[in-house]
């Protein structure tokens, strides 16, 4: 094969972009970047019954979220279009005709009842399921005649002798027994091609050099190689990426939790963290590197460092990476995220736009403390508008219900804060006043601080107390401390 490296991401629009699909696309993208090639986006919508409205847009959005760009595709066009399979039907029919003319495809009239019975019988006899080739014997002229009035599919005539061997760029040489293959459908009764035919035609037309796809397609290798051979077309290189599995080694599924790529965005994962995480699902740079940026990944990626065994989709690892990438953001970039997420998540009755100064003051306090962006509003709620009501018990939750201590704490805190003059109000005097309570109460701060957290923030923990009190302002801080004291009375 000569010319530049070309690979394609070929999702089916059957729902939201799957996180495993995003990993596939990321590896394809990195592969073409590292090799100076091109990524093609192709929409495989030949199964009309599984089509879900909005999926294509969801796919675009998911790819763009990670910064994955494609050189050719339904939205950007290109010299090999159209890039949506349902718009390419004539091309599939032309190749189907050619395969028939070459004696490699034949019409099959077997009914679904017959095929169901066949499957049952095979199961009963302990045989591998598969078409038994009955319609191979129908004379092609007669088949054409019958096809005018009877529904039929087109099947590919598999050579069932010997073995199929091909080099997989990840797994090395793989071998399949051809006796286990059957004559599979390439054109369905509705005239739409199956995946196998459509993929063959498109990958050839689109000059795909490398088919990088999920492991589940590995077993289709023999079918695809025989299709290429039947058309006298050179086969591309194949690379089958390892499965993504959960803690118990099961393939990721809806039952596992989130499999929709954009749900991760909506739950507050940064794209750079998700990219970093996905990059190491099945690939490694060396035996120690755990952090990587998009640019680096696109420079150093090679398929020979992808392993065949399943990769554990470890959400805890993703969380840790997200925290890491949050802390690595510049103050300005972080502040922008904070503003965006507070605007998204704070209750609607809090007036918008949110005060920019307040957001800017809060942002640095939050950067060290969150794992995901969807935690921001919960931690910041107290500073915007009134404190939502909370039960008195909450004040003593962290001090084993010691109401006496809570009362003493507030009775000491109120005059201490009152003693800070309005003109002096700020972090340092507030901190000095509250730290001073240790002497008054003769207790370490950590013994009673939770009372002050609840009083000012409505929760026993949150962003740093002194900053929070300072940000609230003197009047509001005092009002909250007094309100808490009143609850205990
Ligand atoms: N449409 C197939 C899928 O979504 C594409 C497989 C391939 O990359 O060839 O799984």
């Amino acid at each position: 094969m000569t010319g530049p490296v070309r690979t394609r991401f070929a999702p089916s629009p059957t729902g939201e972009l799957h996180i495993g699909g995003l990993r596939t696309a990321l590896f394809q993208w990195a592969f073409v970047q590292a090799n100076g090639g091109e990524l093609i986006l192709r929409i495989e919508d030949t199964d009309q019954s599984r089509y879900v409205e909005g999926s294509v847009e969801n796919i675009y959005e998911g790819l763009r979220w990670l910064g994955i760009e494609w050189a050719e595709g339904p939205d950007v066009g290109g010299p090999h279009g159209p890039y949506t399979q349902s718009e390419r039907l004539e091309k599939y029919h032309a190749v189907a005709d050619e395969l028939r003319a070459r004696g490699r495809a034949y019409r099959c009239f077997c009914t679904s009842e017959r095929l169901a019975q066949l499957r049952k019988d095979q199961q009963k006899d302990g045989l591998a399921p598969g078409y038994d080739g009955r319609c191979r014997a129908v004379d092609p002229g007669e088949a054409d005649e019958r096809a005018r009035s009877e529904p039929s599919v087109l099947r590919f005539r598999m050579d069932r002798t010997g073995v199929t061997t091909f080099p997989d760029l990840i797994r090395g040489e793989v071998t399949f027994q051809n006796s286990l293959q059957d004559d599979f459908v390439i054109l369905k009764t509705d005239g739409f091609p199956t995946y196998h035919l459509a993929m063959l035609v498109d990958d050839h037309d689109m000059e795909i050099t490398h088919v990088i796809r999920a492991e589940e397609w590995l077993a289709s290798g023999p079918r695809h190689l025989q299709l290429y051979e039947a058309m006298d077309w050179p086969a591309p290189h194949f690379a089958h990426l390892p499965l993504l599995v959960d803690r118990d080694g099961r393939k990721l599924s809806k039952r596992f939790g989130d499999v929709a790529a954009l749900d991760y965005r909506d739950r507050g994962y940064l794209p750079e963290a998700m990219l970093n995480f996905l990059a190491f699902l099945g690939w490694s740079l060396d035996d120690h590197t755990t952090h990587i940026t998009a640019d680096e990944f696109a420079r150093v990626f090679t398929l020979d460092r992808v392993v065949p065994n399943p990769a554990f989709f470890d959400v805890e690892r993703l969380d840790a990476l997200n925290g890491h990438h949050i802390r690595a953001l510049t103050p300005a970039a972080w502040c922008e995220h904070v503003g965006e997420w507070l605007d998204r998540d704070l209750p609607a009755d809090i007036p918008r736009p949110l005060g920019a100064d307040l957001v800017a003051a809060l942002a640095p306090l939050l950067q060290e403390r969150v794992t995901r962006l969807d935690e921001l509003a919960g931690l910041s709620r107290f500073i915007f508008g009134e404190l939502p009501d909370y039960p008195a018990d909450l004040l003593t939750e962290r001090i084993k219900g010691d109401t006496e201590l809570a009362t003493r704490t507030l009775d000491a805190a109120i005059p201490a804060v009152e003693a800070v003059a309005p003109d002096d109000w700020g972090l340092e005097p507030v901190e000095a006043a509250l730290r001073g309570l240790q002497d008054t109460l003769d207790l370490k701060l950590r013994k009673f601080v939770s009372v002050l957290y609840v009083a000012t923030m409505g929760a026993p923990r949150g962003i740093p107390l002194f900053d929070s009190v300072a940000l609230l302002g003197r009047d509001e801080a005092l009002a909250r401390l007094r309100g808490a004291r009143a609850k205990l009375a």
Side-chain angles (χ1 to χ4, degrees):
M1 223 160 293
T2 56
V5 158
R6 286 171 64 84
T7 190
R8 80 294 188 284
F9 183 51
S12 299
T14 54
E16 292 170 297
L17 175 62
H18 191 285
I19 193 71
L22 188 57
R23 195 275 311 253
T24 300
L26 177 66
F27 281 24
Q28 294 168 341
W29 172 82
F31 179 71
V32 297
Q33 297 289 315
N35 290 285
E38 256 150 21
L39 179 62
I40 288 90
L41 176 62
R42 181 169 79 221
I43 299 298
E44 302 207 326
D45 60 345
T46 58
D47 190 346
Q48 298 278 298
S49 65
R50 295 183 61 215
Y51 181 78
V52 175
E53 198 63 47
S55 317
V56 176
E57 292 68 28
N58 184 274
I59 290 164
Y60 294 162
E61 215 178 314
L63 296 175
R64 291 197 179 114
W65 176 49
L66 282 209
I68 296 172
E69 286 168 355
W70 48 99
E72 298 166 31
D75 57 333
V76 291
H80 304 279
Y83 294 90
T84 299
Q85 290 187 326
S86 58
E87 294 166 21
R88 302 172 57 82
L89 297 183
E90 307 111 77
K91 294 180 192 288
Y92 309 132
H93 284 259
V95 173
D97 287 345
E98 181 61 28
L99 287 169
R100 257 178 346 123
R102 294 179 177 209
R104 289 307 299 270
Y106 62 92
R107 292 191 201 278
C108 169
F109 299 91
C110 291
T111 60
S112 46
E113 291 77 36
R114 169 166 196 270
L115 296 175
Q117 187 58 49
L118 177 65
R119 231 180 345 260
K120 250 193 227 158
D121 293 346
Q122 286 169 332
Q123 219 162 30
K124 200 172 68 211
D125 298 341
L127 297 172
Y131 183 61
D132 60 356
R134 178 198 258 197
C135 289
R136 274 190 180 201
V138 180
D139 169 76
E142 187 197 323
D144 286 347
E145 198 52 47
R146 276 176 72 183
R148 284 180 219 282
S149 55
E150 263 181 76
S152 64
V153 298
L154 198 67
R155 286 187 187 272
F156 182 72
R157 191 189 288 268
M158 279 295 273
D159 175 358
R160 298 180 59 194
T161 60
V163 296
T164 303
T165 296
F166 61 93
D168 180 278
L169 295 177
I170 293 167
R171 283 146 219 277
E173 201 119 288
V174 286
T175 299
F176 293 89
Q177 296 294 328
N178 290 341
S179 57
L180 298 175
Q181 303 293 325
D182 73 341
D183 292 352
F184 57 96
V185 175
I186 54 175
L187 271 187
K188 298 177 277 186
T189 29
D190 63 2
F192 275 76
T194 57
Y195 162 68
H196 309 292
L197 177 63
M199 173 232 58
L200 168 86
V201 174
D202 292 349
D203 284 349
H204 178 73
D205 275 8
M206 296 175 185
E207 297 174 32
I208 299 304
T209 60
H210 291 73
V211 169
I212 301 170
R213 60 185 177 186
E215 174 173 354
E216 59 185 299
W217 297 111
L218 180 64
S220 301
R223 292 178 168 190
H224 299 164
L225 286 165
Q226 286 202 25
L227 279 167
Y228 279 106
E229 210 178 84
M231 288 301 293
D232 289 317
W233 289 345
H237 299 289
F238 289 99
H240 291 91
L241 300 178
L243 279 180
L244 302 186
V245 295
D246 67 14
R247 189 176 296 283
D248 303 318
R250 291 174 307 194
K251 198 175 151 179
L252 291 198
S253 68
K254 290 232 168 80
R255 199 186 31 189
F256 153 88
D258 266 328
V259 288
L262 286 174
D263 282 358
Y264 287 89
R265 176 195 66 184
D266 298 342
R267 285 169 49 214
Y269 290 100
L270 292 171
E272 50 271 48
M274 183 50 97
L275 184 144
N276 188 156
F277 176 61
L278 293 177
F280 291 102
L281 292 184
W283 175 87
S284 62
L285 178 59
D286 46 39
D287 60 6
H288 59 272
T289 304
T290 52
H291 292 110
I292 201 156
T293 63
D295 286 348
E296 278 173 80
F297 188 49
R299 203 171 50 241
V300 299
F301 180 83
T302 54
L303 280 171
D304 63 9
R305 294 207 58 92
V306 178
V307 291
N309 40 311
F312 172 31
F313 192 93
D314 182 357
V315 180
E316 282 168 30
R317 173 89 197 114
L318 172 60
D319 283 345
L321 283 170
N322 207 47
H324 168 86
H325 284 275
I326 283 175
R327 295 187 243 307
L329 288 171
T330 62
W334 173 242
C335 191
E336 210 166 300
H337 283 294
V338 173
E340 226 170 81
W341 279 75
L342 291 183
D343 188 47
R344 187 194 95 146
D345 288 350
L346 282 173
D349 61 352
I350 291 172
R352 304 294 201 277
L354 301 168
D357 290 349
L358 201 46
V359 171
L362 266 173
L365 305 177
L366 293 161
Q367 191 162 13
E368 293 298 321
R369 278 175 186 76
V370 296
T371 300
R372 298 198 319 250
L373 303 174
D374 64 354
E375 296 162 28
L376 292 171
L379 286 169
S380 312
R381 166 75 187 82
F382 77 95
I383 206 104
F384 295 92
E386 274 168 34
L387 192 62
D389 196 26
Y390 59 86
D393 290 356
L394 195 60
L395 285 162
T396 56
E397 194 187 86
R398 293 282 169 100
I399 51 169
K400 304 191 176 96
D402 188 344
T403 312
E404 193 269 328
L405 173 58
T407 308
R408 270 203 298 138
T409 304
L410 290 166
D411 282 343
I414 294 166
V417 172
E418 276 171 341
V420 179
D423 287 349
D424 283 350
W425 191 260
L427 177 60
E428 275 169 40
V430 165
E431 176 163 358
L434 294 177
R435 280 200 190 285
L437 294 179
Q438 301 191 106
D439 300 332
T440 322
L441 295 170
D442 197 20
L443 279 176
K444 282 253 179 279
L445 196 62
R446 67 180 160 73
K447 297 258 191 211
F448 61 85
V449 74
S450 66
V451 179
L452 300 173
Y453 264 97
V454 176
T456 51
M457 297 176 221
R461 50 181 289 274
I463 59 176
L465 178 70
F466 308 136
D467 296 87
S468 303
V469 172
L471 280 176
L472 278 173
R474 189 171 181 275
D475 293 346
E476 184 61 27
L478 281 168
R480 291 186 186 191
L481 293 170
R482 290 182 189 127
R485 179 64 183 81
K487 278 182 194 282
L488 294 175

